[in-house]
Structures are given as C-alpha cells and as structure tokens.
C-alpha cells in the first residue's frame, strides 16, 4: 500500500507524528511495507511554527515541501491544489491521508479526489456549524470527499451520519492528538518552567521575575482566530481585561501567534502588552513547552481547539474565547473542563472567577487513550 500524507500548518504536526510512528511499527511487526511519503505544503514556514515541531515530535523531514507560504485563502488553497496535483500524478498513491481542518487539508483533499485517489481524513466529523470559520468550510469539504472518516468521538460520528455519510466509511477511532500528548508526557514532566520561559521570552526579564511562574499559580493565554484578533473593537477590551485584571490576580504567560503580534502592532496595543509587568510574552512556543505550561497553569484562556482538548485530558480549567466549538466533548456539560466564553469581557470575567474556584479535574473521553493511530493504520490496511 502506498500512502501520501499531508501536513501544512502548526496544528497538523502533532496529528501526523503518531500516524508515522504507527506505520513504522506496522511495517516492523508485519514485515510488510506500507510505503509512505510525507508532504508539507509549507502553509506554515517559520522555524517556530513548523521546524520546531518536527524536531520536538521526532518527525522526519518531509519528503516534499510545496513551499506555499502565506496568502489569501484562495491563494493558499489554489496554489496548494496545483502543486499537490503534480505530486499525486508522479507518485500515484493508493491513499491520500489528511489531518485536521487547515487550508492544506481541504486543498489536498480536492486534488486527491480529482485524481481519483482514495482519501482518508483524520479528525473527521467536527462541526462548529459556523460557516464564517474558514476551518468549518475546510472540514465540510474534506469530509464529503473522504472514503474513510476517522472520528475522535461519537458526537462527530453522529454529525457525519446526519450529513448522510455512509456508515461503513465512518470509523470512530479516538483522538490522535492525545496519542502525542501521552507519548510526550514523560519528557514534558521533566522540563523546568522558568527555563521554558527564559528560552522563549520576547521581552527580557530578570531571573527573579521568572520565579513568579514556579508556583503553579499563573494563567496561560493564546489567541489567534481572525474573529478575535482582526477587529480592534474586539481585541482592545480583551487586552484590557488580560493586562488590567488577570495580571492583578496572577502572572500571565502568553505565547504570541504571528498574526496576533501583527494585529497588536497595527492597533497600537503592542507597547501596552509588552510593558505589562506580570505579563510574560513569549514567541510561538514548541509543542513540549506549551504542554509544560498547560500542566501547571491555574487557568487557560484560549481560542485554540487543540488546547481545549489538551486541557480536557490534563484537567486545566479552560475558558474558550469563542461562541461555538466543534469540540463539544471538551465542554464541562459533557464531562470536560472547557466553558465557551466568546469575546465579551463581562462573560469572560464571570466565568474566569468561576474557573479560579475549580480544582484541576482531568477527563478522558472514550478512546482518548493514546492508541488512535494504531487503530487508524489497522482500518486502512483492512480497507485496502
Ligand atoms: C492556520 C489555520 C488555523 C490554525 C492555525 C494555527 C487555516 C484556514 N487556518 O491559521 O486553523 O488554528 O493555522 O496556527 O488553515 N505567519 C507567519 N509565519 C508562518 C505562518 C504564518 O508569520 O510560519 C503569519 C503570516 O502573516 C500569515 C498569518 O500568520 O499571513 C496567518 O497564517 P495562515 O497560515 O494564513 O493562518 P493562521 O492564522 O496561522
């Protein structure tokens, strides 16, 4: 069997690492060989957004890098489709495997199907039902084209059934992100918190400052969604809440996404955030460093889907700065730790104070057991 798998952007890397390991281990055990080619579309290209993740997660260098880079959605999707079509024509795989919901996922799915190659989607069936999110468009397009849809939870399988996807294509296998979390956990537990900070600081701090972060009483913030960071009327009150209120209660650690930094500079907010005494601004940090922060944080304020899932398994109270989620399994009402707080400060403030009173409470949804990638490889072998 010949597989081409695709990664493009930061959240894809932790989903592909366990898949590659599972293929290697299948080949080792069975003495059979699944041929596997890894394609990086190059949507994320900075060392911090891409290479650091390959190094951290032990992913070998991609066999092919399409070098797509930044651009409008149509530019990214269109350029990726054209470049990926040539890869398929040259290699003629039996399967193309895509992960997640970024532009690379959608673009390569379309090219694969137009070349009549079977398509498998890892992390299928997530739905926010918010078509203003580019990721929702990517998910729907990818799922309706896929021949095998690997879902992380039963709610996602149900979403696919409602859309009329045939039952035999839907495979509930669990959450592949958690394979990576469990695999890396022992390594991460050994990381020293002040050292994580010192290696990633944007604005230099004294070593005494860094010791503020040792006592498990700090908040972690991440923000990158266009709906939160592209409009100054939305971003400014969020920044005020974080810098004036949260830092009064505890130090705040904030790894900044390139888009967010650009927007803060554009809206004249950069000076304020970079001068707030108890706010530690970090560069985009590696997977292992992020997990280390999450393991000890008292609360996480984020608009990232992946962090919601990691908070769920680690038990960190999570305020999800969105009005909807494609990952309802992580919400408190489903047994998780996450609360949807949107981007209105009053609501965020109320839930933030409620979250501070919550104990750390790890949850483990069904099949989030670290063995998802092995199940996926087994399903693919039996479908071939
Ligand atoms: C993309 C994904 C989003 C994911 C996020 C994680 C889509 C539609 N969105 O959003 O689902 O949660 O990645 O980061 O695919 N940039 C750099 N260096 C890089 C990459 C980007 O500086 O290596 C800057 C560029 O200015 C670029 C901007 O960040 O224009 C946004 O990058 P882009 O890939 O368009 O989308 P993300 O916001 O990162």
């Amino acid at each position: 069997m010949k597989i081409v798998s695709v990664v493009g952007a930061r959240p894809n890397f932790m989903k592909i690492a366990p898949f590659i390991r599972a293929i290697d281990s299948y080949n080792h055990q069975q003495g059979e060989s699944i041929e596997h080619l890894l394609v990086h579309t190059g949507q994320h290209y900075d060392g911090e957004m891409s290479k650091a993740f390959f190094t951290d997660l032990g992913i070998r260098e991609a066999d092919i890098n399409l070098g797509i880079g930044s651009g409008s959605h149509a530019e990214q999707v269109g350029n990726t489709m054209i470049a990926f079509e040539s890869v398929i024509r040259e290699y003629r795989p039996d399967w193309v495997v895509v992960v997640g919901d970024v532009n690379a996922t959608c673009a390569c799915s379309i090219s694969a199907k137009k070349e009549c190659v079977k398509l498998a989607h890892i992390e299928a069936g997530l739905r926010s039902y918010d078509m203003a999110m580019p990721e929702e468009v990517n998910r729907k397009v990818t799922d309706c084209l896929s021949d095998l849809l690997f879902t992380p939870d039963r709610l996602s399988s149900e979403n696919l059934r409602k859309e009329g996807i045939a039952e035999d294509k839907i495979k509930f296998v669990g959450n592949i992100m958690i394979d990576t979390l469990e695999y890396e956990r022992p390594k991460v537990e050994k990381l020293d918190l002040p050292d994580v900070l010192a290696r990633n600081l944007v604005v230099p701090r004294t070593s005494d400052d860094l010791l503020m972060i040792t006592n498990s009483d700090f908040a972690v913030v991440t923000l990158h969604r266009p709906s939160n960071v592209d409009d100054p009327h939305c971003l400014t009150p969020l920044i005020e809440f974080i810098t004036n209120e949260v830092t009064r209660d505890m130090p705040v650690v904030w790894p900044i996404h390139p888009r967010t930094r650009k927007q803060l500079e554009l809206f004249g907010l950069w000076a304020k955030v970079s001068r707030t005494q108890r706010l530690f601004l970090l560069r985009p940090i590696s997977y292992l460093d992020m997990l280390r922060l999450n393991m000890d944080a008292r609360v996480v304020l984020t608009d990232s889907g992946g962090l919601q899932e990691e908070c769920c398994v680690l038990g960190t109270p999570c305020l999800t700065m969105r009005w909807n989620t494609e990952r309802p399994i992580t919400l408190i009402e489903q047994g998780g730790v996450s609360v949807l707080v949107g981007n209105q400060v009053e609501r965020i403030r109320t839930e933030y104070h409620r979250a501070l009173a919550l104990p750390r409470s790890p949850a483990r949804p069904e099949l989030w057991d670290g063995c998802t990638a092995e199940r996926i490889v087994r399903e693919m072998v039996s479908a071939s």
Side-chain angles (χ1 to χ4, degrees):
M1 178 169 41
K2 213 163 154 185
I3 296 177
V4 169
S5 68
V6 178
V7 289
R10 186 169 65 175
N12 290 162
F13 306 135
M14 34 292 204
K15 295 170 194 165
I16 214 68
F19 181 64
I20 296 174
R21 263 197 312 276
I23 292 179
D24 290 346
S25 128
Y26 177 86
N27 283 343
H28 185 69
Q29 282 164 19
Q30 304 295 319
E32 284 177 46
S33 90
I34 298 176
E35 257 183 79
H36 176 229
L37 192 86
L38 178 64
V39 174
H40 189 333
T41 69
Q43 175 177 343
H44 283 174
Y45 45 85
D46 280 355
E48 292 154 341
M49 299 294 285
S50 177
K51 180 88 173 78
F53 285 75
F54 276 64
T55 309
D56 253 14
L57 304 175
I59 307 173
R60 62 178 161 81
E61 206 176 322
D63 299 291
I64 298 174
N65 192 315
L66 304 179
I68 298 304
S70 298
S72 72
H73 288 277
E75 281 166 338
Q76 282 186 339
V77 172
N79 291 335
T80 307
M81 281 178 64
I82 296 165
F84 192 62
E85 183 185 65
S86 310
V87 174
I88 298 177
R89 287 188 178 166
E90 187 175 345
Y91 289 90
R92 295 303 328 162
D94 301 298
W95 286 94
V96 165
V97 175
V98 293
V99 297
D101 55 15
V102 302
N103 285 339
T105 314
C106 164
C108 294
S109 300
I110 299 172
S111 294
K113 282 325 280 179
K114 283 184 179 278
E115 289 297 307
C116 300
V117 173
K118 284 184 287 184
L119 178 67
H121 182 202
I122 300 180
E123 206 189 60
L126 300 187
R127 293 291 181 271
S128 64
Y129 298 101
D130 175 2
M131 289 299 275
M133 278 181 83
E135 293 82 0
E136 184 74 355
V137 178
N138 293 339
R139 289 179 205 118
K140 291 191 85 162
V141 170
T142 303
D143 284 345
C144 78
L145 297 175
S146 293
D147 299 281
L148 276 179
L149 298 99
F150 295 115
T151 64
D153 54 65
R154 291 187 189 277
L155 300 170
S156 302
S157 301
E158 203 42 46
N159 292 339
L160 296 173
R161 287 184 193 107
K162 282 191 222 140
E163 289 175 17
I165 305 280
E167 191 60 40
D168 61 340
K169 293 183 178 178
I170 304 171
K171 308 289 175 191
F172 166 44
V173 291
N175 189 337
I176 200 160
M177 287 274 283
I178 305 308
D179 288 17
T180 297
L181 188 153
E182 294 306 344
Y183 185 81
E184 303 294 351
R185 195 196 276 261
K187 219 188 287 174
V188 172
E189 279 164 350
K190 295 196 190 103
L191 294 177
D192 174 56
L193 267 176
D195 183 51
V196 168
L197 258 68
R199 281 190 278 105
N200 295 292
L201 283 171
V202 172
V203 182
R205 289 304 177 93
T206 64
S207 42
D208 279 354
D209 278 349
L210 299 183
L211 290 176
M212 276 194 233
I213 304 295
T214 49
N215 59 0
S216 299
D217 195 12
F218 61 91
V220 171
V221 172
T222 83
L223 280 175
H224 74 285
R225 301 232 171 243
S227 54
N228 282 330
V229 305
D230 283 3
D231 176 359
H233 300 293
C234 174
L235 189 57
T236 308
L238 293 179
I239 296 301
E240 273 166 11
F241 174 69
I242 293 163
T243 54
N244 300 340
E245 298 186 44
V246 184
T247 61
R248 211 173 42 209
D249 295 334
M250 64 190 103
V252 175
V253 182
W254 184 359
I256 299 244
H257 186 282
R259 171 196 286 279
T260 310
R261 178 169 185 161
K262 225 179 262 179
Q263 298 304 87
L264 288 169
E265 284 167 352
L266 184 70
F267 303 148
L269 294 166
W270 181 252
K272 181 168 175 76
V273 294
S274 58
R275 285 188 202 140
T276 299
Q277 186 55 26
R278 300 225 298 169
L279 177 56
F280 293 82
L281 288 181
L282 307 187
R283 290 190 286 269
I285 59 176
S286 73
Y287 176 80
L288 302 182
D289 287 348
M290 189 69 218
L291 201 56
R292 182 65 190 86
L293 290 177
N294 196 348
M295 275 178 183
D296 257 320
R298 185 157 162 211
V299 62
V300 167
L301 293 94
T302 187
D303 59 9
S304 147
L307 262 176
Q308 257 173 270
E309 296 177 336
E310 287 154 358
C311 285
C312 182
V313 169
L314 297 175
T316 320
C318 175
L319 302 181
T320 299
M321 294 163 93
R322 293 176 47 191
W323 295 112
N324 51 49
T325 178
E326 60 289 333
R327 293 167 164 90
I329 192 96
T330 63
L331 295 177
I332 283 189
E333 50 270 38
Q334 294 282 344
V337 296
S338 164
V339 183
L340 291 178
V341 294
N343 51 22
Q344 259 169 21
V345 169
E346 281 90 280
R347 173 153 175 76
I348 297 173
R349 182 182 295 118
T350 307
E351 292 300 333
Y352 161 74
H353 287 292
R354 208 170 277 165
L356 294 192
L358 291 177
R360 181 171 280 278
S361 141
R364 183 143 331 246
E366 190 182 357
L367 296 188
W368 290 27
D369 58 0
C371 303
T372 292
E374 287 159 35
R375 286 188 281 272
I376 291 174
V377 170
R378 278 202 300 272
E379 288 287 357
M380 292 194 68
V381 169
S382 67
S384 295

